[in-house]
Amino acid sequence: MLEQFPCPCHCSIQISHLGVKRGSQVILQDVSLTAHHGEILALIGRNGAGKTTLLKAIMGQMPYTGAITFYDAQGQQIQRPRIGYVPQSLAFDRSTPVTVADMFCANRSGLPVWMGHRKAELKRIEQMLEKVGAHSLLHKKLGSLSGGELQRILLAYALDPIPDLLLLDEPVSAVDRKGTGVFYQLVTSLRSEYHMPIILVSHDIGHVRKYATKAAFLDRTVVMQNTVDKVLNNPVVRETFGLDIGGDR
């Protein structure tokens, strides 16, 4: 029987009048967004619109003005939200002998990988990997993984521990079509199981239409936030992505 992983409170995130500057350059201005538990909010926009910058601000990796607030199901503020993050890719030396187990154990214990791993810890990691269909990869070297396998590992890593909010930054850009389908099926099943809000950055309108529950069009500020169909049918959005009426369905 699998260990039961703790589920966080149903969480919502509210972003109010957020701004980011780099020197005198305005990257984001007056961004206001909400994502409630169980929602997949897709952030779309041209290159340089500020999508990844917004994710970095949410994670506390970039100074900003305005406010980012997390609430639980009772409307009480969450002071220390857990945030999971899956990047577009992982930059590392593929010749490194580090295994999947090494990566997870180092994250949990902070101890050098050469000190070995406890059986109980390996079992817990294997159970987490099983949730993303990757339990057989526990002892594989990171450099030997395919693009799809690596993204599943990064998804499991983002879920350790189960977050209040999950951020996905172009998570399948280097994954083939089959791997892409597997990845998004995992994301939607995890969303159904844990009900965390998910913010997805994607340039693939097909993925946005198929998997997101609402969308926001970003161009240094929020031009529009609504249901996916309403955002994608906006003339400015259609022109930005070169969508023909009825041609992208």
Side-chain angles (χ1 to χ4, degrees):
M1 182 175 180
L2 287 179
E3 172 189 345
Q4 294 300 309
F5 292 90
C7 182
C9 297
H10 290 192
C11 173
S12 298
I13 178 175
Q14 181 176 321
I15 302 169
S16 303
H17 308 292
L18 182 141
V20 173
K21 285 186 176 181
R22 184 179 292 119
S24 60
Q25 182 184 10
V26 176
I27 309 299
L28 292 171
Q29 183 175 16
D30 197 27
V31 171
S32 294
L33 285 170
T34 58
H36 299 288
H37 64 268
E39 289 184 337
I40 299 180
L41 169 63
L43 293 180
I44 62 174
R46 60 178 177 79
N47 290 332
K51 302 182 295 296
T52 295
T53 296
L54 179 56
L55 297 192
K56 289 181 178 179
I58 292 172
M59 291 187 289
Q61 296 180 355
M62 185 164 286
Y64 60 87
T65 58
I68 301 175
T69 312
F70 294 81
Y71 297 97
D72 64 19
Q74 288 72 46
Q76 299 297 311
Q77 189 170 338
I78 301 174
Q79 297 297 333
R80 290 180 170 273
R82 297 188 294 271
I83 300 175
Y85 173 63
V86 179
Q88 183 174 1
S89 61
L90 183 65
F92 67 101
D93 181 358
R94 285 195 167 266
S95 67
T96 180
V98 173
T99 67
V100 172
D102 292 338
M103 182 177 77
F104 276 82
C105 287
N107 177 53
R108 274 285 182 164
S109 67
L111 297 175
V113 297
W114 49 263
M115 293 187 67
H117 312 312
R118 291 174 296 183
K119 288 184 178 180
E121 185 69 5
L122 289 175
K123 182 180 179 182
R124 187 197 64 78
I125 296 168
E126 190 170 16
Q127 289 174 334
M128 180 57 76
L129 291 176
E130 189 165 350
K131 284 193 167 291
V132 299
H135 64 281
S136 63
L137 304 178
L138 179 65
H139 297 292
K140 290 284 189 72
K141 293 180 181 179
L142 290 177
S144 71
L145 302 179
S146 69
E149 288 173 337
L150 183 56
Q151 289 308 98
R152 276 187 278 162
I153 294 301
L154 293 178
L155 178 59
Y157 193 77
L159 297 169
D160 185 29
I162 299 298
D164 297 295
L165 169 69
L166 181 60
L167 304 177
L168 307 175
D169 190 3
E170 292 280 357
V172 294
S173 59
V175 180
D176 61 24
R177 175 172 289 190
K178 180 179 179 181
T180 294
V182 170
F183 182 88
Y184 278 121
Q185 287 170 12
L186 289 169
V187 169
T188 53
S189 66
L190 290 165
R191 165 209 169 207
S192 299
E193 183 175 359
Y194 294 112
H195 306 286
M196 82 270 284
I198 298 171
I199 298 180
L200 164 68
V201 171
S202 179
H203 284 96
D204 192 308
I205 297 303
H207 295 160
V208 171
R209 190 182 292 282
K210 186 173 182 179
Y211 299 108
T213 60
K214 69 177 185 179
F217 179 62
L218 196 67
D219 192 2
R220 299 185 187 274
T221 191
V222 178
V223 178
M224 183 182 186
Q225 178 181 201
N226 211 311
T227 64
V228 173
D229 281 343
K230 286 185 177 180
V231 171
L232 295 184
N233 285 321
N234 179 280
V236 175
V237 176
R238 301 190 74 82
E239 182 179 356
T240 299
F241 288 96
L243 302 177
D244 295 326
I245 299 296
D248 58 311
R249 293 183 181 273

